[in-house]
Amino acid sequence: MREVSISRIDRQDKYQRILRAGISVFARRGVFRATISEIAREAGVADGTIYLYFKNKDDILARFFEGRTEEIFARFRKAIDEADTARDKLFRLISSHMEAFQEDREMAVVFQAETRKIHAMACHVNDISARYRDLIAEIIEDGQAEGIIRKDLYIALVKRFILGAVDEVVNTWVLAEGKYDLVSMAEPLVDLFLRGIGSASEE
Amino acid sequence: MREVSISRIDRQDKYQRILRAGISVFARRGVFRATISEIAREAGVADGTIYLYFKNKDDILARFFEGRTEEIFARFRKAIDEADTARDKLFRLISSHMEAFQEDREMAVVFQAETRKIHAMACHVNDISARYRDLIAEIIEDGQAEGIIRKDLYIALVKRFILGAVDEVVNTWVLAEGKYDLVSMAEPLVDLFLRGIGSASEE
Amino acid sequence: MREVSISRIDRQDKYQRILRAGISVFARRGVFRATISEIAREAGVADGTIYLYFKNKDDILARFFEGRTEEIFARFRKAIDEADTARDKLFRLISSHMEAFQEDREMAVVFQAETRKIHAMACHVNDISARYRDLIAEIIEDGQAEGIIRKDLYIALVKRFILGAVDEVVNTWVLAEGKYDLVSMAEPLVDLFLRGIGSASEE
Amino acid sequence: MREVSISRIDRQDKYQRILRAGISVFARRGVFRATISEIAREAGVADGTIYLYFKNKDDILARFFEGRTEEIFARFRKAIDEADTARDKLFRLISSHMEAFQEDREMAVVFQAETRKIHAMACHVNDISARYRDLIAEIIEDGQAEGIIRKDLYIALVKRFILGAVDEVVNTWVLAEGKYDLVSMAEPLVDLFLRGIGSASEE
DNA sequence: CATGAATGAGTGTTCATTCAT
DNA sequence: AATGAATGAACACTCATTCAT
């Protein structure tokens, strides 16, 4: 019993170490330029050991996002459900997003950089974006029911509008090497989403 | 004299053919998976010839965007200058952007997909983004002077907000393999930028 | 005493299981492509366990044939000794041989076809053999027309009979490292093909 | 013209050198144990060069036999066509075969090795074969004592003659995946051994 | 200028073998 | 004795880059 437990912890530990080392190297070098040897070195295991835990190099990336996705979307869900108004929901979604990326900068770097390509990833990333857009759509609908969001919206476009803006703000933060507080961007961004940049008189 | 002239035309032609072939292959395979041989084949030149015109693989990409950047920003400039109001300037900037990408889908694919990583590219893309954001800032200022744009804006954020949204809409179009008209997204997007998604009553 | 006995049975059992699993995997994959892991899995033991019973992968093969050889040659001996005439002895030897191989097809596959597998070659070698047999068949027919070859022949068998004999003579020469003149074997071999080994009086 | 010619000769030369080096290394180490590096070294080219001429390692083998097969079968054809009687045809076919193999021993080694089992099993198979041949020899002697077997036999050859034929028949059965009864081949085979394929009148 | 054959460093992946438990 | 996780050497194959012609 004891041994099994230790063994499992060992396995888990090694799995996690490889995962972490992988993301770290991916962040530093890019997925393509990263080598198994470097990941192994950073994880403190032999090259071959990686293949006991992962199918191949891409699998490290895929599994990482697989794991994180659930965790992060659970946070998003919770954040949204704790809010009363659609405005607050939107704010909390975006805040959570920024928090999560700020907490794990290596993940953020890899996500922002690799997300638009990599065939192995493609499906996962698309899933992630799609799920994110679903949350936005849900909030929009709530807001429309509440009457705080316009009803004459092309939802498909609005989803991209919001996702794109948030994504770009995160990306800028990543490229700036995280030297300022990302989460503080959430509030002014939500304001822009709701009120736009036009002055009230504009109509 | 005559021969020099022809020779220059030849050079130019070969240079352009390699550039075009490069982007075509980059769009198809991704920058990393693209090989010099495939680009050479598609350009109708020998592998070694590429090194007479370009430093290396990444250089093809860099030079391509270097060239297109000037051309495209000239279009942007012209589009903006032809407009009277800030709103129209913004609309024309975004329309031109979408038109340019719609006209050259291969460029769009490469730009959207490869832009965020590639350390070699990074600087160029950053330049492009920075110049784009400068245009936005300029329009914002004009709009504020005109009184149609709010004065209580965090400009740095607004620039990302607009660039990010446009970029995401373009990206969606690229991933959808260009099956719909991208430019028609410009008008509703500008409306979102100016009025936001909030209902008038929200204040 | 009791435990030792059980332990011995256990050992024997495990040893046999590995042996059997080895041959099974060798038959399926070929000796080179077979992996220790697959043999271990099929034997229901751990990879490392195999090394408690065998020196290495090749040793499994060697020990298997070591064991079977004694057993099969005992059968051959018995078969021969039970026969009265040389003709019957020969018949019984060959019958026993065929029976033994027919009974244990995996062994037969490993023994006969081990290397025939190599994918690149497989088809070519088979083609070559087939073409060679065609030539033989053609000659047989000519000979039958000429009246110098018996008409009561099972041609498919005769083709193998001749090809096999020639092939074995060549093979022996190869293994002997070519230390004698191979071509001088042709004439006596043809004589054997035509007249057989039986004395004229035999009928 | 001159240059093209030289270039072609160069190409041909390098192709042939790699082919030859390949067969040489295959003969020495066996196809599986042969490495591209060793072949390249022996051919005096870089590893990568091999891939300019061949698809992969196996392709070297395949192309070699592709080339030789036509050449050798042309010889066979010629040998047969030059003969008047079926006996002579058979003799010349077999002689040509042996000549061809004797002329190119490396080819013979590779062909026999890939076709039969020289490498992995070598020593054991040799032992087994030797013991089998001993049994045959014993039977031959008995038969000679009985007077049913000719006394003018080159025993060493007869042993190969019988073993080879039986082996080939078994082998055919194995490759046919055992879909017919092997043992029923024993009787007609013994008949061939004793009487040969010649008609009685032939003497 | 142009070529394209040649190079060889570099990488992902496999697997026989070991050894701490 | 048995395990099976860990190891790391080995190898086929790719491809950017060079350079003799």
Side-chain angles (χ1 to χ4, degrees), chain A residues 40-130:
Chain A
R41 199 180 324 121
E42 186 150 332
V45 298
D47 290 21
T49 304
I50 289 183
Y51 292 88
L52 297 177
Y53 293 88
F54 297 91
K55 268 210 314 283
N56 52 43
K57 200 172 78 166
D58 288 345
D59 193 40
I60 300 176
L61 194 59
R63 298 272 203 94
F64 178 80
F65 280 111
E66 229 170 75
R68 297 303 313 266
T69 299
E70 289 319 306
E71 186 190 327
I72 289 177
F73 273 96
R75 276 171 76 161
F76 290 174
R77 182 81 267 161
K78 190 150 166 284
I80 291 173
D81 291 346
E82 280 170 8
D84 294 323
T85 65
R87 187 190 215 284
D88 200 33
K89 281 177 208 281
L90 188 58
F91 168 71
R92 289 189 187 220
L93 171 62
I94 294 170
S95 287
S96 307
H97 177 165
M98 289 174 167
E99 261 169 44
F101 277 53
Q102 193 158 263
E103 275 167 21
D104 187 350
R105 217 189 141 259
E106 280 172 345
M107 173 193 74
V109 171
V110 177
F111 189 86
Q112 295 294 325
E114 306 289 349
T115 253
R116 288 193 171 170
K117 290 236 353 178
I118 305 235
H119 293 341
M121 281 284 297
C123 42
H124 265 291
V125 170
N126 287 347
D127 277 1
I128 294 173
S129 295

Side-chain angles (χ1 to χ4, degrees), chain C residues 104-150:
Chain C
D104 187 351
R105 220 189 142 258
E106 279 172 348
M107 174 193 70
V109 170
V110 175
F111 192 83
Q112 297 288 327
E114 211 287 288
T115 33
R116 271 222 188 201
K117 299 257 157 109
I118 306 246
H119 293 327
M121 282 287 296
C123 42
H124 268 289
V125 169
N126 287 345
D127 276 1
I128 293 172
S129 294
R131 285 179 69 178
Y132 199 90
R133 286 194 303 264
D134 285 345
L135 291 180
I136 296 174
E138 180 190 322
I139 295 173
I140 301 290
E141 280 173 35
D142 287 354
Q144 289 175 324
E146 286 175 25
I148 67 152
I149 289 181
R150 293 158 52 189

Side-chain angles (χ1 to χ4, degrees), chain B residues 151-169:
Chain B
K151 299 213 167 62
D152 63 333
L153 293 171
Y154 175 23
I155 302 293
L157 185 66
V158 171
K159 294 189 293 191
R160 263 94 191 172
F161 159 78
I162 293 179
L163 174 57
V166 174
D167 186 63
E168 177 66 18
V169 171

Side-chain angles (χ1 to χ4, degrees), chain D residues 119-130:
Chain D
H119 288 289
M121 304 256 309
C123 40
H124 271 286
V125 170
N126 286 347
D127 279 359
I128 295 173
S129 295

Side-chain angles (χ1 to χ4, degrees), chain B residues 11 14 48-49 53:
Chain B
R11 257 196 89 77
K14 216 160 263 185
T49 304
Y53 294 86

